[in-house]
Amino acid sequence: MGIFKDTGWKKVLAIIMSIVIVLSLTLFYYVRAQISPVASGDEAEDITIDIPSGSSTNNIAKLLKDNNIIKNKYMFTLIVKAQKKDGKLKAGTYTLNNGMEIKDIIDELSKGGKSDNTVRFTIPEGYELGQIAELLNKKGIVDKDKFLKLSKDISNFTNNHPVLKELSTGMTLEGYLYPDTYEVYKDASEEEIISKMIERFEELYTKHIKSKATKMNMDLNRVTTLASIIEREAMLDEERPLVSAVFHNRLEMDKPLESCATVQYILGERKEVLSIADTNIESPYNTYRNPGLPPAPIASPGIESMKAAVNPADTDYLFFVANGDGSHTFTKTYKEHLKAKNKNQN
């Protein structure tokens, strides 16, 4: 009888386990189907929607479902809450594609959409403070003089941006207004716009650069200054680590960087060919006369140049010369450098 009972219970347990497995698999495939994109391939299409100000996550989920952008509004709401973005989705006009994954839709809604009350602008990589102020002034977004006055002293923003406390007193924001595309309210003040750009720099620096910089014993100013020179010297992303390696190698050997970009910064213009007189200008930013890095950045570097600054290529290169097409020829000796330079001039 004991054997029969044991066998009977085993059968019951086996049946229960089978049911649990079947239900789990059913639930798994159901959830996966419900959170998958509505369409794929050629069937996917862009859909423009307006999310009113003050919309709750539930309201946004219903709006997305009604417009055929998601399959299941309840699943969308659960994922938003799981990502701790409940209440953080923003109003505005969005053009979404019903071939998008839910996580990508949430990311877009977290950034904020277009609005009649906002304006977008893009700051190119390698722009200097003066160029940024001029661009925004021309677009009617800021008063150039006020923007520059605020940007000339980091103490105007250190209270709200801890990253700036790593810099020396009296420094400007040159290099720390991150080049990116922004959307701001039309009545946003110069302070608010500058803060938004510093915040973006702080976000990327903390996420991608700070840890490696610490390991390399490079402080914030050193990283950003080197990255700004790399930004102005290199046009191709794949060459940025090589340019970085040249500068790292020269710094280790106490050789002047001899960067044309630093002299152009002194001149206030981007001369394609520098004269001997240009390279002899007395300035702490003149890397032809002075070994080491300049005292501060010369432009706003993008993330690829910042990454290159702390991730130089493993190479013995000490020189590079522009090829005229955006690329460079890298060499190890001065003799090789002269050969490459003469070749490009002929």
mmCIF file of all heavy atoms in Angstrom, residues 34-37 69-72 75-76 79-80 83 100-107:
data_model
loop_
_atom_site.group_PDB
_atom_site.id
_atom_site.type_symbol
_atom_site.label_atom_id
_atom_site.label_comp_id
_atom_site.label_asym_id
_atom_site.label_seq_id
_atom_site.Cartn_x
_atom_site.Cartn_y
_atom_site.Cartn_z
ATOM 1 N N GLN A 34 2.841 40.101 -26.441
ATOM 2 C CA GLN A 34 2.183 41.371 -26.134
ATOM 3 C C GLN A 34 3.153 42.554 -26.085
ATOM 4 O O GLN A 34 2.760 43.691 -26.327
ATOM 5 C CB GLN A 34 1.430 41.267 -24.799
ATOM 6 C CG GLN A 34 0.231 40.337 -24.831
ATOM 7 C CD GLN A 34 -0.791 40.751 -25.872
ATOM 8 O OE1 GLN A 34 -1.300 41.868 -25.828
ATOM 9 N NE2 GLN A 34 -1.104 39.861 -26.803
ATOM 10 N N ILE A 35 4.424 42.274 -25.758
ATOM 11 C CA ILE A 35 5.390 43.383 -25.676
ATOM 12 C C ILE A 35 6.228 43.514 -26.956
ATOM 13 O O ILE A 35 7.054 44.423 -27.064
ATOM 14 C CB ILE A 35 6.332 43.219 -24.458
ATOM 15 C CG1 ILE A 35 7.212 41.974 -24.614
ATOM 16 C CG2 ILE A 35 5.540 43.186 -23.164
ATOM 17 C CD1 ILE A 35 8.249 41.829 -23.512
ATOM 18 N N SER A 36 6.014 42.619 -27.900
ATOM 19 C CA SER A 36 6.746 42.710 -29.167
ATOM 20 C C SER A 36 6.173 43.846 -30.011
ATOM 21 O O SER A 36 5.042 44.297 -29.791
ATOM 22 C CB SER A 36 6.649 41.392 -29.934
ATOM 23 O OG SER A 36 5.310 41.130 -30.320
ATOM 24 N N PRO A 37 6.939 44.363 -30.981
ATOM 25 C CA PRO A 37 6.448 45.460 -31.827
ATOM 26 C C PRO A 37 5.157 45.086 -32.553
ATOM 27 O O PRO A 37 4.925 43.925 -32.893
ATOM 28 C CB PRO A 37 7.600 45.667 -32.817
ATOM 29 C CG PRO A 37 8.813 45.181 -32.101
ATOM 30 C CD PRO A 37 8.340 44.007 -31.300
ATOM 31 N N ILE A 69 0.430 51.748 -31.734
ATOM 32 C CA ILE A 69 1.877 51.832 -31.541
ATOM 33 C C ILE A 69 2.356 50.737 -30.596
ATOM 34 O O ILE A 69 3.489 50.276 -30.685
ATOM 35 C CB ILE A 69 2.266 53.224 -30.999
ATOM 36 C CG1 ILE A 69 1.911 54.291 -32.046
ATOM 37 C CG2 ILE A 69 3.755 53.308 -30.661
ATOM 38 C CD1 ILE A 69 2.067 55.707 -31.560
ATOM 39 N N ILE A 70 1.481 50.302 -29.692
ATOM 40 C CA ILE A 70 1.772 49.166 -28.816
ATOM 41 C C ILE A 70 0.589 48.199 -28.860
ATOM 42 O O ILE A 70 -0.518 48.573 -29.272
ATOM 43 C CB ILE A 70 2.017 49.601 -27.349
ATOM 44 C CG1 ILE A 70 0.773 50.310 -26.781
ATOM 45 C CG2 ILE A 70 3.257 50.476 -27.256
ATOM 46 C CD1 ILE A 70 0.862 50.600 -25.286
ATOM 47 N N LYS A 71 0.813 46.965 -28.425
ATOM 48 C CA LYS A 71 -0.240 45.954 -28.447
ATOM 49 C C LYS A 71 -1.062 45.921 -27.166
ATOM 50 O O LYS A 71 -2.258 45.649 -27.203
ATOM 51 C CB LYS A 71 0.377 44.568 -28.667
ATOM 52 C CG LYS A 71 0.973 44.345 -30.046
ATOM 53 C CD LYS A 71 1.554 42.947 -30.137
ATOM 54 C CE LYS A 71 2.130 42.676 -31.530
ATOM 55 N NZ LYS A 71 2.746 41.322 -31.616
ATOM 56 N N ASN A 72 -0.375 46.154 -26.050
ATOM 57 C CA ASN A 72 -1.043 45.961 -24.760
ATOM 58 C C ASN A 72 -0.701 47.111 -23.812
ATOM 59 O O ASN A 72 0.455 47.292 -23.434
ATOM 60 C CB ASN A 72 -0.604 44.627 -24.150
ATOM 61 C CG ASN A 72 -1.425 44.224 -22.946
ATOM 62 O OD1 ASN A 72 -1.510 44.962 -21.980
ATOM 63 N ND2 ASN A 72 -2.028 43.039 -23.012
ATOM 64 N N MET A 75 0.681 45.970 -20.254
ATOM 65 C CA MET A 75 2.090 45.561 -20.284
ATOM 66 C C MET A 75 2.993 46.800 -20.355
ATOM 67 O O MET A 75 4.032 46.867 -19.697
ATOM 68 C CB MET A 75 2.364 44.656 -21.478
ATOM 69 C CG MET A 75 1.709 43.307 -21.388
ATOM 70 S SD MET A 75 2.414 42.345 -20.039
ATOM 71 C CE MET A 75 1.411 40.854 -20.172
ATOM 72 N N PHE A 76 2.595 47.765 -21.152
ATOM 73 C CA PHE A 76 3.362 49.008 -21.281
ATOM 74 C C PHE A 76 3.471 49.695 -19.922
ATOM 75 O O PHE A 76 4.569 50.097 -19.509
ATOM 76 C CB PHE A 76 2.682 49.942 -22.282
ATOM 77 C CG PHE A 76 3.365 51.279 -22.431
ATOM 78 C CD1 PHE A 76 4.430 51.440 -23.289
ATOM 79 C CD2 PHE A 76 2.943 52.371 -21.677
ATOM 80 C CE1 PHE A 76 5.075 52.669 -23.418
ATOM 81 C CE2 PHE A 76 3.581 53.601 -21.789
ATOM 82 C CZ PHE A 76 4.643 53.745 -22.667
ATOM 83 N N ILE A 79 5.874 47.848 -17.566
ATOM 84 C CA ILE A 79 7.284 48.042 -17.933
ATOM 85 C C ILE A 79 7.758 49.439 -17.536
ATOM 86 O O ILE A 79 8.877 49.619 -17.045
ATOM 87 C CB ILE A 79 7.495 47.801 -19.441
ATOM 88 C CG1 ILE A 79 7.242 46.325 -19.772
ATOM 89 C CG2 ILE A 79 8.900 48.195 -19.869
ATOM 90 C CD1 ILE A 79 7.253 46.007 -21.249
ATOM 91 N N VAL A 80 6.899 50.443 -17.732
ATOM 92 C CA VAL A 80 7.245 51.816 -17.337
ATOM 93 C C VAL A 80 7.520 51.862 -15.833
ATOM 94 O O VAL A 80 8.513 52.457 -15.384
ATOM 95 C CB VAL A 80 6.108 52.793 -17.697
ATOM 96 C CG1 VAL A 80 6.350 54.155 -17.034
ATOM 97 C CG2 VAL A 80 6.011 52.964 -19.202
ATOM 98 N N GLN A 83 10.768 50.154 -14.853
ATOM 99 C CA GLN A 83 11.939 50.979 -15.182
ATOM 100 C C GLN A 83 11.993 52.254 -14.333
ATOM 101 O O GLN A 83 12.868 53.095 -14.532
ATOM 102 C CB GLN A 83 11.917 51.349 -16.671
ATOM 103 C CG GLN A 83 12.142 50.172 -17.600
ATOM 104 C CD GLN A 83 12.265 50.591 -19.052
ATOM 105 O OE1 GLN A 83 12.123 51.758 -19.404
ATOM 106 N NE2 GLN A 83 12.536 49.630 -19.921
ATOM 107 N N MET A 100 8.838 49.789 -33.353
ATOM 108 C CA MET A 100 9.765 50.013 -32.238
ATOM 109 C C MET A 100 9.489 49.068 -31.078
ATOM 110 O O MET A 100 8.335 48.687 -30.823
ATOM 111 C CB MET A 100 9.652 51.456 -31.730
ATOM 112 C CG MET A 100 10.081 52.515 -32.725
ATOM 113 S SD MET A 100 9.701 54.200 -32.162
ATOM 114 C CE MET A 100 10.839 54.359 -30.774
ATOM 115 N N GLU A 101 10.570 48.714 -30.356
ATOM 116 C CA GLU A 101 10.444 47.958 -29.113
ATOM 117 C C GLU A 101 9.876 48.891 -28.041
ATOM 118 O O GLU A 101 10.088 50.108 -28.087
ATOM 119 C CB GLU A 101 11.802 47.436 -28.651
ATOM 120 C CG GLU A 101 12.491 46.485 -29.632
ATOM 121 C CD GLU A 101 11.919 45.077 -29.557
ATOM 122 O OE1 GLU A 101 11.161 44.792 -28.604
ATOM 123 O OE2 GLU A 101 12.230 44.268 -30.452
ATOM 124 N N ILE A 102 9.182 48.324 -27.058
ATOM 125 C CA ILE A 102 8.590 49.140 -25.999
ATOM 126 C C ILE A 102 9.639 49.957 -25.261
ATOM 127 O O ILE A 102 9.425 51.126 -24.936
ATOM 128 C CB ILE A 102 7.790 48.262 -25.005
ATOM 129 C CG1 ILE A 102 6.437 47.877 -25.619
ATOM 130 C CG2 ILE A 102 7.562 48.990 -23.688
ATOM 131 C CD1 ILE A 102 5.528 47.086 -24.717
ATOM 132 N N LYS A 103 10.808 49.362 -25.002
ATOM 133 C CA LYS A 103 11.853 50.093 -24.272
ATOM 134 C C LYS A 103 12.306 51.331 -25.045
ATOM 135 O O LYS A 103 12.633 52.365 -24.444
ATOM 136 C CB LYS A 103 13.049 49.184 -23.977
ATOM 137 C CG LYS A 103 13.780 48.656 -25.194
ATOM 138 C CD LYS A 103 14.944 47.768 -24.786
ATOM 139 C CE LYS A 103 15.703 47.235 -25.990
ATOM 140 N NZ LYS A 103 16.326 48.315 -26.791
ATOM 141 N N ASP A 104 12.325 51.225 -26.378
ATOM 142 C CA ASP A 104 12.728 52.370 -27.200
ATOM 143 C C ASP A 104 11.644 53.446 -27.206
ATOM 144 O O ASP A 104 11.946 54.641 -27.236
ATOM 145 C CB ASP A 104 13.026 51.917 -28.630
ATOM 146 C CG ASP A 104 14.240 50.990 -28.698
ATOM 147 O OD1 ASP A 104 15.182 51.208 -27.916
ATOM 148 O OD2 ASP A 104 14.229 50.060 -29.513
ATOM 149 N N ILE A 105 10.394 53.010 -27.175
ATOM 150 C CA ILE A 105 9.277 53.962 -27.102
ATOM 151 C C ILE A 105 9.346 54.733 -25.788
ATOM 152 O O ILE A 105 9.191 55.958 -25.750
ATOM 153 C CB ILE A 105 7.922 53.231 -27.226
ATOM 154 C CG1 ILE A 105 7.785 52.612 -28.621
ATOM 155 C CG2 ILE A 105 6.770 54.182 -26.942
ATOM 156 C CD1 ILE A 105 6.564 51.735 -28.792
ATOM 157 N N ILE A 106 9.611 54.002 -24.700
ATOM 158 C CA ILE A 106 9.714 54.631 -23.379
ATOM 159 C C ILE A 106 10.876 55.626 -23.348
ATOM 160 O O ILE A 106 10.757 56.714 -22.784
ATOM 161 C CB ILE A 106 9.883 53.558 -22.280
ATOM 162 C CG1 ILE A 106 8.604 52.710 -22.183
ATOM 163 C CG2 ILE A 106 10.193 54.206 -20.932
ATOM 164 C CD1 ILE A 106 8.718 51.505 -21.281
ATOM 165 N N ASP A 107 11.988 55.246 -23.966
ATOM 166 C CA ASP A 107 13.144 56.147 -24.018
ATOM 167 C C ASP A 107 12.789 57.447 -24.728
ATOM 168 O O ASP A 107 13.157 58.542 -24.277
ATOM 169 C CB ASP A 107 14.318 55.477 -24.749
ATOM 170 C CG ASP A 107 15.011 54.438 -23.893
ATOM 171 O OD1 ASP A 107 14.798 54.460 -22.659
ATOM 172 O OD2 ASP A 107 15.744 53.598 -24.444
#
